[in-house]
């Protein structure tokens, strides 16, 4: 007898399709037709409805950009790659085959007909090249107030030699970071989002999201810092000329707010205007540099000589080449901590990656060129200022060395040039010289106001660059929806997708910090945030390289993974050298945001190096397990659970998860015997498991019938030593109403598991295990009628058998909490250890009691015995359990286990199996009856009943004992009897299991190990 619902014509190719047939109905799909035109085919090659291809007519398409693009192509229809099914199947067999199309659903819906008008290409927004968009922007962001006001002072402290070391060390860090940035930026198409986009797409959303948020915030605060620096310079100039509005701090606030408002107007006017302003600032700085260099060549006037400037002198260069530490900050690392923030800013170009013509070319070339030119400028200024100006000078014109002054008492290098600064040097009252006067570059320059203009240009350009970077990064972060309540700021406007809302947010943050007007405490935190970003960029490059992922193919090859790692460590060390408490705050914020992202687990998939690393670790660990021999101490119940669609049997899933979560392997098995495409729902089943917080794999197989599919799972499930060793399934409650063949197949599945050395568990609950029928009545009405409606017949074997085809399967729903998700309280877990199966019957309740919801349950062990040796039997079992260290202390002996059951129960059992008995009364029917029993082994004969009478009575009697002892138990675990193949019909065995577990309010778990030890009391 065969099941009508099982089809022998299962086409595996249909199950490999990822796109529904209904998507391509009545559509003509265009492939790369130009290719076929070369062979004389002047008609489009279509995927369906065409004649059989002959000669050169083929669906094979040459490589095309459209096949790999994730976005629509403006101005024309996107070409589609034919599926493997279409290439190897005869078109006459299936007019509308499923096809694999690498497009989004929105695109498929929009392409409704062949006559649809082609889309107009979108207007091209303003894009910048590597010079305008990256190099100039980075140079302006690197140059700052420190260049003009602190570099001469650092040269006086550390000397020209160590100053060069500080500059080159800082440039090495930023240069290696630039190389890492270039490698990441050239490993695929880069979109908007800058630093956040690079880190998040490389390391994943966890670290990328946290860095993106603090980097955007740091840029917004940096706007206030540079603006306040500009405002302080303006206020100082006003005070020198006797102009005061209110007082110093309020003047800084007023000028700062007016300045940042003007910068906001430039930024919101568009990237074109912002870029023009950056070019203007760049020209101003270049002019100030020229004024300074010309000033070093012009002969020094007496006023400049009095301030310590004597033009280029070899003696001054030699004296200033060695360090002369002064003050509390007088040390190498003290000077390094002051100078290093002036070397940052290399990510200004990457932060506007969405506005570049070709980011993969512009970012590497522009960033590295900016680092080179700014490093060269620092070296030149340090060398020239150290060759022209002495460390100490009084500024007094009458401090010349006269002929009457004794030259032996003159102190300082200026004595050789006719100036005597002895008094101020001895009294430490010199106010000029590069050790004392911060405006030394203004004093040396040919025209001092140009240096002031350079300071203005450097501060305003840095503020403008940060004001543009912060919204760009924040907008990309908002669009990814990693954090709540920030999506409002991700909306873009205009052809450039300007983040106007993010601009306003950055403006408000900047204004708040400008009103403080004192950022000395916050400045180290911002520097640490930037360093933290550099650290993660270098680590991203190293991590992506070390994972050996085939997807890591940067076109920029001038990087080294070990240099990237070294630079990441250096950035980490520098963070603590600059300000240790600020470094702790930065890491605290990163870890807090990281923890939130890990907890929320956003549904994004960017192909990060963390995913590649997870694969490498898992692969290496699985391979290493092959070198380890199995040991009973390390035994874990690795369960293959026949759930079908996991959402249809949540109770079974929840129960197994109770003792496998964070402990062992769990695989939800699904046998598909219909023409439904399983790939469509595979991801949704995994998503359902994740939402339910069940740590399990999902595995489906396509088979002609249920038993052969389960055999595939039993033999092919797992990998290496990570493979199931216990089969767990639901009890078949409808065995008496279902076909005998289905019941026989169910029992044969258990036998197959035993043959393959699996342990077997069967779970029976009071309520129906399969709940899919509860929400089928709420299905879409479109699928309730017509030829494509679903005819589902539910079985309790762990799977649904579906007998018709449906384009779209019902989406798994998150069902209500089951019994096994509730706290069990102070109930009991009753274990009937009636036969020794290796210890699996004892191990499972022990694992359950390790969970919080089962921890308060008391485990009671029931064993068989006689009244005569009842106490001795209890002590024997207690001693054995103590050696197993399971913590079970309650053992009860059942002396009445071997008594004859009640007559009414025997009569009830006989009535239960009467419809499956094969009546052989007459002699001439004996041979035919035996033949039928052989062909249909589920039939029960009188001989079978007599042969198995003792075992039958035992199961009936055991149910009577369960009714007396375990009515209020949270769970009943019973050693499952084993059927002898050929001696016990399958229906009779199933009737044993039915009667054994019937009329019980508590869940019943029938357990039978594979007769090998899973418990030991030895330590080796």
């Amino acid at each position: 007898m065969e099941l009508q619902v099982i089809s022998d014509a299962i086409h595996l190719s249909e199950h490999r399709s990822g796109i529904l047939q209904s998507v391509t109905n009545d559509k003509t799909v265009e492939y790369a037709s130009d290719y076929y035109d070369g062979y004389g085919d002047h008609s489009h090659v279509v995927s369906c409805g065409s004649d059989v291809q002959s000669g050169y007519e083929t669906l094979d398409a040459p490589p095309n950009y459209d096949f790999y693009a994730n976005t629509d192509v403006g101005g024309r229809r996107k070409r589609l790659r034919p599926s493997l099914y279409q290439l190897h199947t005869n078109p006459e067999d299936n007019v509308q085959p499923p096809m694999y199309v690498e497009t989004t659903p929105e695109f498929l819906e929009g392409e409704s007909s062949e006559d649809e008008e082609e889309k107009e290409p979108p207007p091209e927004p303003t894009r910048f090249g590597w010079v305008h968009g990256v190099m100039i922007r980075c140079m302006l962001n690197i140059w700052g107030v420190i260049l003009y006001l602190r570099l001469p002072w650092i040269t006086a402290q550390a000397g020209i030699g160590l100053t060069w070391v500080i500059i080159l060390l800082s440039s090495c860090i930023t240069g290696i970071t630039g190389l890492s940035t270039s490698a990441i930026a050239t490993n695929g198409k880069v979109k908007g989002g800058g630093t956040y986009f690079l880190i998040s797409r490389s390391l994943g959303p966890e670290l990328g999201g946290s860095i993106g948020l603090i980097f955007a915030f740091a840029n917004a605060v940096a706007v206030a810092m540079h603006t306040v620096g500009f405002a302080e310079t303006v206020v100082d100039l006003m005070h020198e000329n006797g102009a005061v509005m209110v007082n110093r701090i309020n003047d800084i606030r007023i000028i700062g707010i007016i300045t940042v408002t003007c910068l906001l107007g430039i930024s919101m006017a568009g990237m074109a205007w912002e870029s023009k302003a950056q070019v203007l600032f760049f020209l101003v700085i270049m002019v100030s540099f020229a004024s300074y260099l010309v000033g070093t060549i012009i002969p020094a006037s007496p006023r400049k000589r009095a301030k310590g400037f004597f033009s280029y002198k070899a003696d001054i260069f030699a004296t200033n080449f060695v360090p002369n530490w002064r003050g509390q900050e007088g040390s190498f690392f003290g000077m390094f901590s002051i100078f290093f923030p002036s070397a940052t800013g290399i990510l200004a170009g990457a932060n506007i990656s969405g506005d570049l013509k070709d980011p993969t070319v512009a970012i590497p070339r522009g960033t590295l060129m900016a680092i080179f030119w700014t490093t060269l400028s620092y070296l030149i200024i340090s060398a020239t200022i150290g060759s022209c100006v002495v460390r100490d000078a009084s500024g007094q014109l009458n401090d010349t060395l006269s002929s009457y002054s004794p030259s032996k008492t003159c102190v300082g290098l200026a004595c050789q040039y006719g100036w005597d600064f002895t008094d101020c040097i001895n009294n430490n009252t010199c106010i000029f010289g590069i050790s004392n006067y911060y405006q030394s570059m203004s004093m040396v320059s040919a025209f001092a106001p140009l240096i002031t203009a350079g300071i203005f240009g450097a501060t305003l350009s840095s503020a403008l660059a940060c004001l543009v970077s912060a919204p760009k990064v924040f907008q990309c972060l908002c669009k990814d929806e990693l954090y709540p309540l920030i999506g409002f700021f991700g909306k873009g406007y205009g052809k450039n997708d300007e983040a106007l809302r993010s601009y306003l947010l950055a403006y408000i943050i900047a204004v708040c910090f400008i009103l403080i007007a004192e950022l000395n405490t916050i400045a180290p935190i911002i520097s640490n945030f930037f360093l933290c970003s550099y650290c993660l960029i270098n680590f991203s490059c190293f991590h992506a390289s070390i994972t050996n992922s085939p997807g890591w193919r940067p076109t920029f090859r001038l990087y080294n993974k070990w240099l990237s790692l070294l630079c990441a460590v250096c950035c980490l060390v520098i963070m603590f050298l600059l300000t240790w408490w600020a470094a702790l705050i930065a890491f605290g914020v990163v870890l807090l945001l990281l923890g939130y992202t890990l907890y929320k687990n956003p549904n994004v998939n960017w192909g990060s190096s963390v995913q590649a690393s997870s694969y490498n670790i898992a692969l290496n660990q699985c391979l290493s397990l092959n070198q380890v021999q199995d040991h009973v101490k390390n035994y874990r119940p690795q369960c293959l659970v026949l759930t079908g669609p996991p959402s249809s049997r949540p109770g079974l899933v929840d129960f197994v998860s109770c003792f496998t979560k964070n402990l062992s392997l769990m695989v939800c098995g699904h046998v598909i015997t219909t023409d439904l495409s399983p790939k469509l729902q595979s991801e949704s089943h995994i998503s359902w498991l994740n939402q339910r917080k069940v740590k399990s794999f999902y595995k489906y197989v396509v088979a002609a019938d249920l038993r052969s599919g389960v055999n595939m799972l039993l033999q092919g499930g797992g990998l290496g030593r990570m493979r199931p060793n216990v089969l767990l399934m639901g009890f078949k409650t409808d065995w008496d109403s279902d076909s005998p063949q289905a019941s026989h197949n169910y029992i044969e599945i258990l036998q197959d598991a035993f043959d393959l050395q699996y342990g077997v568990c069967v779970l029976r609950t009071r309520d129906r295990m399969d709940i899919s029928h509860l929400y089928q009545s709420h299905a879409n009405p479109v699928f309730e009628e017509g030829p494509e409606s679903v005819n589902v017949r539910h079985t309790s074997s762990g799977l649904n058998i579906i007998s018709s085809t449906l384009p779209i399967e019902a989406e798994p729903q998150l069902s209500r909490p089951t019994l096994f998700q509730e706290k069990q309280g102070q109930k009991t877990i009753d274990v009937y250890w009636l036969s020794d199966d290796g210890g699996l019957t004892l191990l499972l309740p022990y694992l359950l009691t390790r969970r919080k919801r089962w921890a308060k349950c008391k485990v009671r062990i029931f064993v068989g015995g006689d009244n005569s040796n009842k106490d001795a039997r209890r002590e024997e079992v207690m001693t054995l359990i103590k050696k197993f260290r399971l913590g079970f202390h309650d053992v009860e002996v059942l002396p009445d286990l071997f008594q004859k059951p009640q007559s009414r129960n025997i009569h009830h059992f006989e009535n239960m199996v009467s419809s499956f008995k094969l009546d052989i009364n007459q002699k001439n029917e004996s041979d035919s009856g035996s033949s039928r029993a052989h062909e249909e082994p589920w039939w029960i004969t009188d001989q079978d009943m007599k042969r198995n009478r003792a075992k039958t009575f035992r199961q009936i009697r055991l149910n009577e004992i369960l009714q007396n002892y375990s009515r209020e138990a949270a769970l009943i675990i019973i050693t499952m009897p084993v059927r002898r193949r050929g001696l016990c019909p399958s229906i009779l065995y199933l009737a044993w299991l039915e009667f054994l577990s019937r009329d019980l309010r508590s869940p019943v778990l029938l357990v039978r190990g594979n007769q090998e030890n899973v418990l030991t009391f030895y330590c080796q």
Side-chain angles (χ1 to χ4, degrees), residues 271-541:
M271 291 298 298
W273 285 93
E274 185 269 346
S275 182
K276 293 176 182 178
Q278 293 285 25
V279 172
L280 176 62
F281 292 141
F282 182 77
L283 294 176
V284 171
I285 293 176
M286 289 295 101
V287 171
S288 69
F289 283 169
S291 174
Y292 163 76
L293 292 176
V294 170
T296 60
I297 302 173
I298 297 176
S301 63
R303 183 177 294 278
K304 289 187 177 182
R305 286 174 174 266
K307 295 181 180 180
F309 173 65
F310 297 97
S311 295
Y312 291 105
K313 303 291 182 183
D315 293 339
I316 297 178
F317 176 83
T319 303
N320 289 341
F321 189 83
V322 296
N324 182 17
W325 308 115
R326 300 181 184 181
Q328 296 179 349
E329 298 150 338
S331 65
F332 177 82
F333 285 108
M335 295 299 105
F336 182 85
S337 65
I338 293 173
F339 174 79
F340 184 78
S342 67
T344 60
I346 61 172
L347 300 178
N351 286 338
I352 63 164
S353 54
D355 296 295
L356 301 176
K357 291 179 180 178
D358 189 356
T360 57
V361 174
I363 292 176
R365 188 178 298 177
T367 302
L368 296 178
M369 288 299 294
I371 294 173
F372 172 77
W373 289 116
T374 53
T375 301
L376 184 63
S377 66
Y378 284 141
L379 295 174
I380 292 174
I381 291 174
S382 174
T384 54
I385 199 74
S387 302
C388 299
V389 186
V390 297
R391 283 191 170 100
D392 298 292
S394 64
Q396 301 294 328
L397 292 174
N398 55 359
D399 282 346
T400 56
L401 186 63
S402 63
S403 57
Y404 301 101
S405 302
S407 58
K408 294 182 179 181
T409 59
C410 185
V411 178
L413 190 61
C415 300
Q416 302 179 19
Y417 309 114
W419 290 82
D420 185 6
F421 303 134
T422 304
D423 291 340
C424 73
I425 291 175
N426 291 334
N427 299 327
N428 293 326
T429 58
C430 296
I431 59 176
F432 290 95
I434 55 177
S435 292
N436 309 290
Y437 188 49
Y438 292 152
Q439 300 282 351
S440 295
M441 287 186 64
S442 298
M443 181 264 295
V444 171
S445 68
F447 187 59
L450 289 179
I451 299 297
T452 303
I455 295 174
F456 288 170
T459 54
L460 292 179
S461 63
S462 297
L464 188 58
C466 292
L467 187 58
V468 171
S469 298
K472 294 289 184 181
V473 173
F474 192 64
Q475 182 187 31
C476 184
L477 179 64
C478 294
K479 288 184 176 180
D480 287 337
E481 298 180 350
L482 299 181
Y483 302 105
L485 307 178
I486 63 174
F488 171 80
F489 299 99
K491 182 177 176 58
Y493 296 87
K495 64 179 182 179
N496 275 17
D497 195 32
E498 296 291 348
L500 300 184
R501 296 177 180 178
S502 296
Y503 275 117
L504 292 175
L505 179 63
Y507 171 77
I508 293 173
I509 294 174
V511 167
C512 292
F513 283 92
I514 287 173
L515 293 177
I516 297 175
E518 182 57 54
L519 302 179
N520 291 337
T521 304
I522 304 172
I525 301 178
I526 297 174
S527 297
N528 276 275
F529 281 161
F530 283 116
L531 278 171
C532 190
S533 302
Y534 297 166
C535 177
L536 283 177
I537 286 177
N538 285 287
F539 182 74
S540 300
C541 181

Side-chain angles (χ1 to χ4, degrees), residues 716-763:
L719 182 66
R721 297 194 183 276
M722 294 289 294
R723 56 179 305 153
N725 52 28
V726 176
L727 174 68
L728 202 146
M729 56 197 301
F731 183 74
K732 187 173 179 60
T733 56
D734 62 344
W735 65 275
D736 54 346
S737 59
D738 202 354
S739 66
Q741 176 69 57
S743 300
H744 174 73
N745 286 342
Y746 176 81
I747 297 302
E748 287 300 310
I749 288 173
L750 302 182
Q751 294 295 133
D752 293 340
F754 287 136
D755 292 340
L756 294 170
Q757 290 296 300
Y758 272 71
V760 174
C761 299
V762 177
L763 179 65

Side-chain angles (χ1 to χ4, degrees), residues 133-319:
V134 181
M135 189 186 75
I136 292 179
R137 187 176 300 275
C138 288
M139 291 176 69
L140 289 174
N141 212 20
I142 292 172
W143 285 326
V145 178
I146 291 178
L147 168 67
Y148 291 96
L149 302 183
R150 289 296 182 272
L151 186 57
W153 175 71
I154 293 174
T155 304
Q157 291 271 353
I160 297 174
L162 287 182
T163 300
W164 276 36
V165 173
I166 291 173
I167 294 172
L168 293 176
L169 180 59
S170 302
S171 298
C172 282
I173 294 174
T174 56
I176 295 173
T177 304
L179 295 177
S180 300
T181 304
S182 302
I184 298 173
T186 58
N187 189 49
K189 188 175 181 179
V190 178
K191 298 180 181 179
T195 307
Y196 161 71
F197 186 88
L198 297 179
I199 296 179
S200 62
R201 270 52 177 182
S202 180
L203 281 181
E206 294 82 10
L207 283 174
S210 57
I211 285 298
L213 195 59
I214 64 174
F215 190 74
F217 178 77
N219 272 281
V221 179
V223 175
M225 289 182 58
H226 294 300
T227 305
V228 168
F230 168 79
E232 286 181 349
T233 306
V234 173
V235 169
D236 290 340
L237 290 175
M238 292 172 57
H239 285 186
E240 289 178 3
N241 294 278
V244 178
M245 289 185 287
V246 183
N247 52 45
R248 177 178 174 78
I249 189 168
N250 286 319
D251 289 354
I252 292 175
R253 290 171 177 168
I254 295 171
I255 295 174
I257 292 176
I258 294 174
T259 304
V260 77
T261 304
C262 294
L263 294 177
L264 176 67
I266 296 174
S267 302
M268 296 184 69
M271 291 298 298
W273 285 93
E274 185 269 346
S275 182
K276 293 176 182 178
Q278 293 285 25
V279 172
L280 176 62
F281 292 141
F282 182 77
L283 294 176
V284 171
I285 293 176
M286 289 295 101
V287 171
S288 69
F289 283 169
S291 174
Y292 163 76
L293 292 176
V294 170
T296 60
I297 302 173
I298 297 176
S301 63
R303 183 177 294 278
K304 289 187 177 182
R305 286 174 174 266
K307 295 181 180 180
F309 173 65
F310 297 97
S311 295
Y312 291 105
K313 303 291 182 183
D315 293 339
I316 297 178
F317 176 83
T319 303

Side-chain angles (χ1 to χ4, degrees), residues 639-751:
C639 298
L640 170 61
V641 191
L642 298 186
T643 60
S647 58
S648 66
R649 288 171 180 81
L652 191 61
V653 173
D654 293 336
F655 174 73
V656 181
S657 178
C658 286
F659 59 84
T660 60
K661 188 174 183 180
N662 298 325
L663 175 73
S664 61
L665 176 70
M666 175 181 173
V667 180
C668 291
H670 185 185
V671 178
I672 299 175
T673 59
T674 68
D675 292 336
L676 283 176
S677 177
K679 211 167 188 179
L680 298 174
Q681 289 297 307
S682 178
E683 291 298 327
S684 59
H685 293 320
I686 296 173
S687 176
W688 183 90
L689 290 170
N690 293 335
Q691 291 177 22
R692 207 171 181 85
K693 298 182 180 179
V694 175
K695 295 187 177 181
S696 171
F697 295 97
Y698 169 77
K699 176 67 176 177
Y700 69 85
V701 294
V702 180
D705 59 73
L706 177 61
R707 183 183 174 187
S708 61
V710 175
N711 259 291
M712 293 181 192
L713 292 172
L714 290 172
Q715 298 183 58
L719 182 66
R721 297 194 183 276
M722 294 289 294
R723 56 179 305 153
N725 52 28
V726 176
L727 174 68
L728 202 146
M729 56 197 301
F731 183 74
K732 187 173 179 60
T733 56
D734 62 344
W735 65 275
D736 54 346
S737 59
D738 202 354
S739 66
Q741 176 69 57
S743 300
H744 174 73
N745 286 342
Y746 176 81
I747 297 302
E748 287 300 310
I749 288 173
L750 302 182
Q751 294 295 133

